[in-house]
Amino acid sequence: MESILLLLILAPTALFLILKFDTKQSGKVRKILKDTHNIEPLFLMRATEQKLKELNTQLYGNIALIANGAHSGRININEGVRQMLTSQLSKLTGDYNSGELNLKEYHSKLSEMIQTVNQVKYLNFEQINN
């Protein structure tokens, strides 16, 4: 009889402690989700940074490599085309920094710019303006 009475006391107590712990953990998870709701996805941000770095290297070159006399990574294209692409890149970066573009749009526009840069390597300025 004593063991049944002990079980009737311990079981509800254990159940109460488990439920209390569960609600406490659920509250922590909700708080974390609420705090991280507006944070951009990390992998998309990282991929965007890599695309921006690639574009900057192709359009401007790598200053550290140029100083050492090594290949700069800068592509060989018409200077008019380079200036047009660098102005587009700076406008795109400015729009993202001012909040006019979200990260997904910025990422897709950078992808389009990389495709454009790869296509114009062998074209002259007159072919691009048409």
Side-chain angles (χ1 to χ4, degrees):
M1 187 73 173
E2 287 180 18
S3 61
I4 295 175
L5 186 59
L6 185 63
L7 181 63
L8 289 175
I9 293 172
L10 289 179
T13 305
L15 183 63
F16 173 75
L17 291 175
I18 290 171
L19 290 175
K20 184 171 176 129
F21 178 76
D22 182 53
T23 56
K24 190 176 185 181
Q25 292 301 318
S26 296
K28 287 180 181 180
V29 169
R30 268 188 256 113
K31 183 180 182 302
I32 289 171
L33 290 175
K34 182 181 174 186
D35 291 344
T36 61
H37 177 68
N38 292 330
I39 296 176
E40 299 290 351
L42 182 62
F43 291 120
L44 184 59
M45 186 179 293
R46 184 78 173 144
T48 303
E49 289 172 358
Q50 289 174 346
K51 287 183 184 210
L52 183 60
K53 183 178 178 182
E54 178 184 344
L55 277 170
N56 281 327
T57 302
Q58 288 183 345
L59 295 176
Y60 299 109
N62 189 334
I63 295 172
L65 291 176
I66 293 170
N68 292 333
H71 178 65
S72 68
R74 183 175 169 169
I75 60 172
N76 188 17
I77 60 174
N78 183 302
E79 278 305 310
V81 174
R82 185 183 313 280
Q83 289 176 1
M84 183 178 71
L85 290 170
T86 55
S87 68
Q88 287 177 357
L89 180 61
S90 63
K91 182 187 179 324
L92 185 63
T93 304
D95 288 348
Y96 174 71
N97 289 337
S98 67
E100 293 178 27
L101 289 175
N102 65 28
L103 184 61
K104 288 181 182 179
E105 292 171 342
Y106 184 53
H107 180 76
S108 66
K109 300 252 184 201
L110 287 176
S111 296
E112 291 171 11
M113 278 200 72
I114 288 175
Q115 289 176 352
T116 303
V117 166
N118 290 332
Q119 290 173 354
V120 300
K121 285 181 183 178
Y122 306 105
L123 300 177
N124 60 28
F125 188 69
E126 292 79 24
Q127 290 174 313
I128 294 170
N129 282 334
N130 294 333

